Amino acid sequence: MTPVLRPARDTDRDLVLPWRNHPSVRAVSLTTHEIRPAEHAAWWARRGGDVLIYEEDGVPAGVVIFNGSAWSFYLDVEGLGPRLLPAWMRLEREAVEYAFGTLGLATLGGETLADNKQVLALHRRFGFRETRRYERLVDGVPKTVVWTERSR
C-alpha cells in the first residue's frame, strides 16, 4: 500500500463533503454544523489550491489543508472503517513530510480541540509539542483549543 498526497481536483469537491459532515468529524471540528453544498462550494473555490487529497491504494480517503504554516485534516471515517487508525498515522507522516519537503516549511502547527485526546496523542507521537491553549468559540460555544507545532 502506497499512501499519497495529491493536489485536490475539482472533481474531488463533492466527494469530500460527506467526509467533512460525518458526525464524528464534525464533533471534533472547529465548525460543527452540517455544511451545506453551497457553503462547501464557496469554501472550495477559495481554498482549492491549499487542499490535498490523501489516497490509499489510489482511492481518495482523506483531506489535508495547508494554510501557510498551519494545517488540518480529516479522513473518510465511514469508508476506512477499521483501517482508520493506520490511515491517521500514514496521513500524518505524509503531511509532515510534505510540509517540510515539498512546501519547505520550517515549522508546522495546528489547532486541535482539547477534548480530542486521540489526535493530540497522534501529534505528540509525530513530534508535535503543545505551545499554548486558548478559548475559541465553536459555533457559539466556548471551547479550549490546543495549538501544537513542530519544527523541521
Side-chain angles (χ1 to χ4, degrees), residues 78-91:
E78 205 154 303
L80 286 164
R83 299 173 301 151
L84 184 61
L85 181 58
W88 259 355
M89 295 180 72
R90 284 188 293 272
L91 178 145

Side-chain angles (χ1 to χ4, degrees), residues 13-91:
R13 186 190 77 189
D14 296 337
L15 175 69
V16 304
L17 181 58
W19 303 347
R20 177 56 182 81
N21 276 335
H22 190 279
S24 65
V25 172
R26 288 193 354 247
V28 294
S29 294
L30 297 172
T31 304
T32 58
H33 70 274
E34 185 169 338
I35 296 171
R36 299 287 171 208
E39 180 184 0
H40 180 65
W43 174 84
W44 190 269
R46 287 190 313 273
R47 300 303 311 258
D50 300 331
V51 178
L52 299 174
I53 299 297
Y54 168 79
E55 291 185 341
E56 285 207 14
D57 293 330
V59 177
V63 175
V64 178
I65 303 147
F66 287 101
N67 183 13
S69 61
W71 77 300
S72 59
F73 70 92
Y74 52 91
L75 288 161
D76 177 8
V77 172
E78 205 154 303
L80 286 164
R83 299 173 301 151
L84 184 61
L85 181 58
W88 259 355
M89 295 180 72
R90 284 188 293 272
L91 178 145

